[in-house]
Every structure is written in C-alpha cells, then in structure tokens.
Amino acid sequence: MSNFVKRLIPFESCDIPAIQSWLEDMAAQGLFYVDCGFFCARFERG
C-alpha cells in the first residue's frame, strides 16, 4: 500500500481559512500535506 494519498481540493484556491481548516482536518486523520496540482492535493500517511 502506498504512503501517499490524493484528495480533490474542495474549495477555491483563494479561500485561505478553508484551506487552513481542511489541512488541519487532514492532519487529524493522519494525512500530511506534500504538494498539490490544480484539482488534487497529495498527502503522506503519518
């Protein structure tokens, strides 16, 4: 099983509070931000 997971980005890229909240939620699930593209973000399981 891969240590990386892709998730669709569920908000506009200019909505900073939404980005912060989403990344905190992902970290609480054990998924830590690595990088992103236009539509997806990549996380590493930790």
Side-chain angles (χ1 to χ4, degrees):
M1 183 155 95
S2 175
N3 283 338
F4 294 98
V5 176
K6 285 188 177 181
R7 296 281 189 249
L8 287 175
I9 300 171
F11 46 78
E12 295 285 331
S13 63
C14 61
D15 190 353
I16 302 302
I19 295 169
Q20 290 175 326
S21 177
W22 185 61
L23 291 175
E24 289 171 0
D25 291 345
M26 294 292 106
Q29 296 174 31
L31 299 173
F32 300 98
Y33 176 80
V34 175
D35 63 7
C36 69
F38 289 108
F39 301 109
C40 292
R42 190 168 70 134
F43 295 88
E44 184 172 13
R45 295 179 199 272

